[in-house]
Amino acid sequence: MALPKQIIVKESIKELKSLQKKSKALFIPRLRMLQVIKEHKEPLSKNVLAKLVGVNHNSIQRWRTMYLNGGLKGLLAHKTTASAPFMFTKQEREKIYAKLSDPKSGIRGYKELLIWVEEEFGKTVKYNSLMVFCRNQFGTKIKVARKSHIKKDAKAVDAFKKTLVVSANKP
């Protein structure tokens, strides 16, 4: 059986505890690992350390290597992947929102919206990309029941309601 990795923590326990209070939730177990290493005089195996910190032993192995290579700064560095830029400019997003919000636009689904976007902006966009974009940005859904027809005449509705009331009162 191999000996546990010997790690010398340069920071004090008090300093590690204060860093834990200030740091994000992502870094708290990493700092807790350093604190456990500092508290124990003898080197701990990755499995024992994982049980004491409450994380997977693979995480402990990765964090110990990060600390040995880059110190505390290397351990607390988190490389995030940048999200993809928006596929539409701010003006285009406003036009799409206006089109989706207009009840007289006649957009009945994402397929029609996709055709409109390609004609209006001259961009080729995948159906799923447009659907996810609209769902995330505007809270749209694939099917929305309409209460009435978009081209309905308000005067005809009033006339219908008047005749409906009169015929309902007759025996």
Side-chain angles (χ1 to χ4, degrees), residues 74-162:
L75 181 66
L76 299 180
H78 180 65
K79 296 173 185 135
T80 57
T81 57
S83 61
F86 279 121
M87 62 184 95
F88 300 111
T89 62
K90 189 174 183 181
Q91 292 82 15
E92 291 171 343
R93 279 183 278 179
E94 289 170 359
K95 284 185 179 180
I96 292 171
Y97 181 70
K99 186 74 169 174
L100 290 170
S101 300
D102 184 20
K104 301 204 186 265
S105 71
I107 297 286
R108 290 181 298 212
Y110 292 118
K111 190 69 174 173
E112 286 185 17
L113 183 63
L114 181 67
I115 293 167
W116 179 81
V117 165
E118 288 176 354
E119 290 172 357
E120 185 75 18
F121 307 130
K123 290 184 175 183
T124 55
V125 181
K126 292 181 181 177
Y127 176 86
N128 279 347
S129 300
L130 181 66
M131 182 182 68
V132 170
F133 174 78
C134 290
R135 255 197 277 151
N136 292 343
Q137 293 295 311
F138 311 123
T140 61
K141 295 181 181 176
I142 290 180
K143 294 182 180 180
V144 177
R146 295 181 189 235
K147 293 181 180 177
S148 61
H149 196 275
I150 57 173
K151 296 180 181 176
K152 180 173 62 176
D153 184 21
K155 292 179 185 175
V157 171
D158 290 338
F160 176 73
K161 287 182 179 178
K162 285 180 185 175

Side-chain angles (χ1 to χ4, degrees), residues 21-81:
K21 290 178 184 176
K22 297 175 191 174
S23 65
K24 295 179 183 177
L26 176 73
F27 301 125
I28 291 174
R30 298 175 187 200
L31 292 167
R32 176 78 183 119
M33 176 196 70
L34 292 179
Q35 186 179 340
V36 170
I37 292 171
K38 185 75 172 181
E39 288 170 352
H40 289 82
K41 302 294 180 204
E42 72 282 347
L44 299 171
S45 70
K46 67 178 181 181
N47 292 324
V48 172
L49 200 53
K51 286 180 184 175
L52 291 173
V53 177
V55 295
N56 190 300
H57 63 89
N58 293 324
S59 299
I60 293 292
Q61 184 173 340
R62 194 171 56 248
W63 295 343
R64 288 191 309 185
T65 305
M66 288 167 66
Y67 185 74
L68 287 173
N69 294 339
L72 188 63
K73 190 175 182 179
L75 181 66
L76 299 180
H78 180 65
K79 296 173 185 135
T80 57
T81 57

